[in-house]
């Protein structure tokens, strides 16, 4: 009898993490690898945030905190949601967790019963369906289309809703497409949900500060306040503040649900790291002057990658509004052969060929429940991106 539970057998390892790990190992083994697989800012955490952490250590801020997070950080998160979106939450309606991923994990484990359905528009971040499955729920994947900007339409949402639907997951800007919903698009989805009062919304807004070309990021409760009583608005510090390793995520939700999430967290990890929480207060309440230059750099990188990929005749790539990913279509290359004799039968073969034959690590579209595409993270410096794009161009040109 296996020591591993049947529950764990329902899920696969995170493919974004697996690919990033593989690239790291190949590089350690001496291979020349350009890694565009990690969904992680390459910027340093701003100095004033690091200083706050050092001060917290020196001040002895090194003990347990409230399970739901320090009052200061919950107040800071509430103030941030107010400043960014005009939302009105009290600290009792906020929980701090060990990264946005733990917020999502807690939400599904705390709310799903066997057979409850969770609507996940694809392309979608790798971990949503696996966390739902781990929590005994049923992921219902609704593919969106490239020509509709990779966004869920009100029509597709209505068709997917059933009496068993418990959650709709929104992620804007989206990992892996960078697609972001306008206020009007979110409002239209909210109007469908008005007819389904048993359905809750989990909105993952972790990339909301990373938007370009004057796009205004918004979140569903802002345009549909009537959904406040059945929405979890999730955000975190990893992406906008370049703090992936600090592991701070937060969520705003009605107090009853926050209490349930806190109960679950109290029986697993307890509070998020006290030092990272102190740094989080500095991040959310301190100067955001680091942001405009960071955004300008991300935009320049996005434009560089789009311009380079446009040189590949058979590759299509939509222009994303936000995040730091592009998601090109590679269906025109399927069935072709690499110079080393590898037949590209799928996006996974394409990505494997690119890694093995050109030393560029990216992630296959099927990891995001959307085969026929691949994800490039442009959270890398421009020289690396330029070189990686040259290799991708060469890879495609040499296919026969
Ligand atoms: N969210 C990032 C990514 O998509 C980090 C890795 C992960 O947790 O999936 O690459």
């Amino acid at each position: 009898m296996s020591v591993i539970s049947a529950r764990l057998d329902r899920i696969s390892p995170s493919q974004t993490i697996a690919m990033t790990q593989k690239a790291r190992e190949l590089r350690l083994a001496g291979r020349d690898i350009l890694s565009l697989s990690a969904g992680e800012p390459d910027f340093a955490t701003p100095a004033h945030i690091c200083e706050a952490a050092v001060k917290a250590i020196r001040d002895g801020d090194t003990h347990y905190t409230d399970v739901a997070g320090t009052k200061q950080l919950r107040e800071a998160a509430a103030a941030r949601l107010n400043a960014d979106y005009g939302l009105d939450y009290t600290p009792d309606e906020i929980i701090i967790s060990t990264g946005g991923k733990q917020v999502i994990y807690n939400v599904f484990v705390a709310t799903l019963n066997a057979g409850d359905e969770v609507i996940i528009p694809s392309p979608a971040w790798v971990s949503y369906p696996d966390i739902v499955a781990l929590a005994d729920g049923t992921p219902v994947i609704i593919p969106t289309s490239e020509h509709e900007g990779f966004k869920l339409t009100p029509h597709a949402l209505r068709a997917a809703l059933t009496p068993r639907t418990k959650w709709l997951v929104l992620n804007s800007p989206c990992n892996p497409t960078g697609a972001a919903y306008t206020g009007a698009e979110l409002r239209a989805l909210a109007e469908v949900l008005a007819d389904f009062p048993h359905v809750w919304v989990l909105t993952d807004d972790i990339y909301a500060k990373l938007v370009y070309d004057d796009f205004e990021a918004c979140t569903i409760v802002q345009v549909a306040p009537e959904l406040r009583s059945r929405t979890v608005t999730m955000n975190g510090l990893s992406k906008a503040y370049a703090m992936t390793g600090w592991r701070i995520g937060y969520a705003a939700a009605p107090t009853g649900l926050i209490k349930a999430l806190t109960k679950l967290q109290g029986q697993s990890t307890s509070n998020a790291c006290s030092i990272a929480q102190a740094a989080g207060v500095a991040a959310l309440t301190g100067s955001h002057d680091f942001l405009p230059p960071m955004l300008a750099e991300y935009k320049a990188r996005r434009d560089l990658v789009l311009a380079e990929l446009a040189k590949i005749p058979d590759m299509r790539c939509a222009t994303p509004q936000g995040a730091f990913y592009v998601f090109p279509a590679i269906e025109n290359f399927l069935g072709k052969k690499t110079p080393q004799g590898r037949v590209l039968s799928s996006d996974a073969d394409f990505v494997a060929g690119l890694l093995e034959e050109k030393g560029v690590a990216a992630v296959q579209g099927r990891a995001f429940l959307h085969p026929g595409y691949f994800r490039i993270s442009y959270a890398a410096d421009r020289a690396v991106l330029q070189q990686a794009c040259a290799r991708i161009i060469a890879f495609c040109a040499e296919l026969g």
Side-chain angles (χ1 to χ4, degrees):
M1 199 172 71
S2 168
V3 70
I4 307 300
S5 71
R7 183 183 308 110
L8 201 74
D9 277 343
R10 273 184 236 147
I11 66 168
S12 346
S14 163
Q15 293 183 64
T16 45
I17 292 178
M19 187 49 106
T20 306
Q21 181 68 21
K22 185 161 183 196
R24 205 177 285 138
E25 281 165 14
L26 287 172
R27 198 180 280 151
L28 279 175
R31 292 271 311 271
D32 166 24
I33 301 293
L34 302 174
S35 181
L36 308 184
S37 55
E40 146 155 271
D42 57 322
F43 292 93
T45 303
H48 69 281
I49 301 174
C50 298
E51 286 309 321
V54 172
K55 182 169 182 323
I57 296 172
R58 294 222 166 95
D59 290 353
D61 207 351
T62 50
H63 301 277
Y64 291 135
T65 72
D66 288 353
V67 168
T70 62
K71 183 94 184 294
Q72 294 92 314
L73 186 53
R74 284 181 288 126
E75 279 170 355
R80 193 75 256 150
L81 290 170
N82 186 263
D84 290 348
Y85 308 111
L87 302 183
D88 209 4
Y89 285 95
T90 65
D92 288 347
E93 295 172 297
I94 306 276
I95 185 167
I96 310 298
S97 296
T98 302
K101 197 181 272 183
Q102 194 189 15
V103 170
I104 297 163
Y105 183 90
N106 284 349
V107 165
F108 290 139
V109 171
T111 64
L112 292 178
N113 292 310
D116 286 346
E117 294 173 357
V118 178
I119 296 177
I120 303 172
S122 83
W125 178 51
V126 290
S127 294
Y128 301 134
D130 286 293
I131 296 174
V132 168
L134 202 53
D136 292 338
T138 305
V140 176
I141 310 303
I142 307 298
T144 64
S145 73
E146 192 184 329
H147 76 267
E148 281 167 330
F150 291 119
K151 288 186 254 189
L152 180 65
T153 62
H155 178 75
L157 172 60
R158 190 175 287 279
L161 288 158
T162 76
R164 298 306 308 262
T165 309
K166 192 135 190 192
W167 289 94
L168 163 66
V169 176
L170 292 174
N171 173 213
S172 174
C174 168
N175 173 5
T177 61
Y181 290 82
T182 64
E185 286 164 343
L186 290 175
R187 180 73 230 156
L189 295 177
E191 275 157 25
V192 175
L193 293 172
D195 297 336
F196 299 85
H198 62 287
V199 176
W200 283 64
V201 181
L202 169 62
T203 173
D204 175 348
D205 299 345
I206 196 117
Y207 294 97
K209 287 212 174 297
L210 307 181
V211 285
Y212 315 109
D213 308 322
D214 299 325
F215 187 88
E216 254 189 61
C218 48
T219 193
I220 196 158
V221 174
Q222 192 184 6
V223 294
E226 71 278 12
L227 291 181
R228 186 189 190 282
S229 59
R230 49 184 174 119
T231 297
V232 173
T233 302
M234 180 234 128
N235 212 314
L237 307 184
S238 292
K239 314 296 181 181
Y241 301 89
M243 291 177 70
T244 44
W246 301 73
R247 311 308 302 133
I248 296 290
Y250 62 89
T255 40
L257 181 55
I258 293 293
K259 279 194 184 134
L261 302 179
T262 307
K263 178 172 154 189
L264 176 61
Q265 192 163 293
Q267 293 290 26
S268 52
T269 55
S270 297
N271 59 274
C273 167
S274 61
I275 299 151
Q277 287 193 67
V281 174
L284 292 175
T285 62
S287 164
H288 281 61
D289 287 353
F290 66 91
L291 206 52
M294 191 165 106
L295 290 177
E297 178 59 26
Y298 276 136
K299 179 181 150 44
R301 293 169 178 186
R302 181 200 66 173
D303 293 346
L304 181 157
V305 171
L306 289 172
E308 290 301 309
L309 296 181
K311 295 178 185 164
I312 305 173
D314 287 328
M315 190 179 277
R316 288 191 319 276
C317 188
T319 300
Q321 291 86 35
F324 39 63
Y325 307 110
V326 294
F327 198 60
I330 47 120
E331 70 219 7
N332 292 332
F333 301 100
L334 298 183
K336 296 199 172 179
K337 220 181 197 174
T338 67
Q340 291 183 22
R342 187 178 260 111
V343 178
L344 305 184
S345 309
S346 68
D347 53 336
D349 293 340
F350 182 93
V351 162
L354 194 58
L355 181 62
E356 293 301 331
E357 298 185 24
K358 294 290 179 198
V360 176
V363 185
Q364 63 276 21
R366 64 188 48 208
F368 306 99
L369 312 159
H370 218 80
Y373 294 78
F374 76 117
R375 186 189 81 173
I376 291 175
S377 163
Y378 55 83
D381 74 46
R382 281 190 247 177
V384 169
L385 291 171
Q386 190 79 53
Q387 212 186 338
C389 286
R391 293 188 192 183
I392 296 170
I393 292 170
F395 181 71
C396 294
E398 289 163 15
L399 294 174

